[in-house]
């Protein structure tokens, strides 16, 4: 039976509705989840705009960062930052290459570069062509927690080759 005009109109309306809902709810949008952690043990930042992770290798920051990571980031980046079965990139490799730089001053700059990339990416999120691959965390995570998470992720690097 050929489609009647009403069939046709219904189908067009259905397509229109589908498109409208697709536009309103981008497929990848997620609500960022604030971690519930006690971050009071973290030393206040001497320089809140600083470009280098002030908590590198600090065991308390690493423990707090791990807790925050597993609450807020693990759903996409893997539990304990093991991304082998995760949809999102392995964060342990950010700055990994710096360990192989022998010259201390160059090594420091290499790590600062990685820190700047980490902090700014986390703050801004990853939005490409209007599609949100990762939500921005700027208003969710205080800078102290971003650095604590960075400290955790850096040590988690060593656990996998
Ligand atoms: C909803 C999933 C999701 C959550 C939750 C999430 N991310 Fe991401 N993240 C992604 C995806 C996907 C990418 C890769 C985006 C791209 O490059 O297109 C990414 C990229 C990144 C990058 C850049 C990685 C690189 O190799 O360039 C960093 C850093 C990062 N995320 C940190 C975090 C941290 C820290 C958290 C927790 C506070 C977090 N992400 C939570 C999905 C997520």
């Amino acid at each position: 039976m050929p489609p009647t005009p009403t069939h046709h109109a219904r189908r067009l309306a259905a397509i229109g509705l589908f498109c409208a809902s697709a536009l309103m709810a981008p497929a990848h949008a997620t609500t960022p989840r604030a971690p519930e952690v006690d971050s009071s043990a973290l030393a206040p930042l001497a320089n809140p705009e600083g470009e280098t992770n002030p908590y590198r290798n600090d065991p308390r920051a690493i423990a707090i960062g791990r807790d925050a990571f597993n609450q807020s980031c693990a759903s996409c980046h893997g539990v304990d930052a093991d991304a082998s079965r995760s949809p999102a990139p392995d964060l342990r490799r950010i700055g990994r290459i710096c360990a192989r730089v022998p010259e201390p001053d160059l090594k420091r700059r290499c790590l600062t570069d990685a820190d700047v990339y980490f902090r700014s990416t986390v703050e801004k999120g990853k939005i490409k062509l209007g599609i949100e691959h990762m939500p921005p965390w700027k208003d969710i995570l205080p800078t102290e927690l971003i650095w604590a998470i960075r400290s955790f992720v850096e040590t988690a690097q060593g656990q996998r080759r």
Side-chain angles (χ1 to χ4, degrees):
M1 194 176 81
T4 63
T6 358
H7 270 128
H8 211 72
R10 278 215 202 106
R11 194 184 299 155
L12 276 179
I15 293 170
L17 258 180
F18 175 79
C19 293
S21 58
L23 280 176
M24 284 183 304
H28 294 273
T30 357
T31 314
R33 180 179 167 206
E36 284 169 28
V37 292
D38 178 9
S39 51
S40 59
L42 294 170
L45 298 175
N47 178 6
E49 301 306 319
E51 296 189 314
T52 305
N53 179 8
Y55 305 142
R56 201 177 326 274
N57 300 323
D58 173 335
R60 268 187 311 190
I62 291 169
I64 292 166
R66 179 182 180 197
D67 196 3
F69 179 93
N70 280 332
Q71 290 184 47
S72 294
C73 321
S75 58
C76 296
H77 291 281
V79 172
D80 280 346
D82 178 350
S84 48
R85 272 172 291 139
S86 307
D90 189 335
L91 302 183
R92 294 170 298 180
R93 61 172 180 67
I94 297 176
R96 181 185 273 169
I97 199 171
C98 305
R100 289 195 233 137
V101 178
E103 211 270 299
D105 198 43
L106 267 186
K107 179 183 261 172
R108 240 189 325 274
R109 275 162 52 194
C110 181
L111 284 170
T112 296
D113 244 24
D115 287 349
V116 166
Y117 175 72
F118 189 91
R119 176 178 174 174
S120 68
T121 307
V122 173
E123 286 178 347
K124 283 190 230 134
K126 281 272 191 184
I127 296 154
K128 289 178 181 165
L129 302 174
I131 295 177
E132 190 181 276
H133 296 266
M134 175 166 83
W137 294 91
K138 193 170 180 29
D139 299 328
I140 314 271
L141 295 176
T143 310
E144 286 86 348
L145 268 187
I146 296 180
W147 288 137
I149 292 173
R150 168 92 184 115
S151 303
F152 162 65
V153 163
E154 281 183 89
T155 54
Q157 266 181 188
Q159 286 161 20
R160 199 168 148 259
R161 275 273 90 204

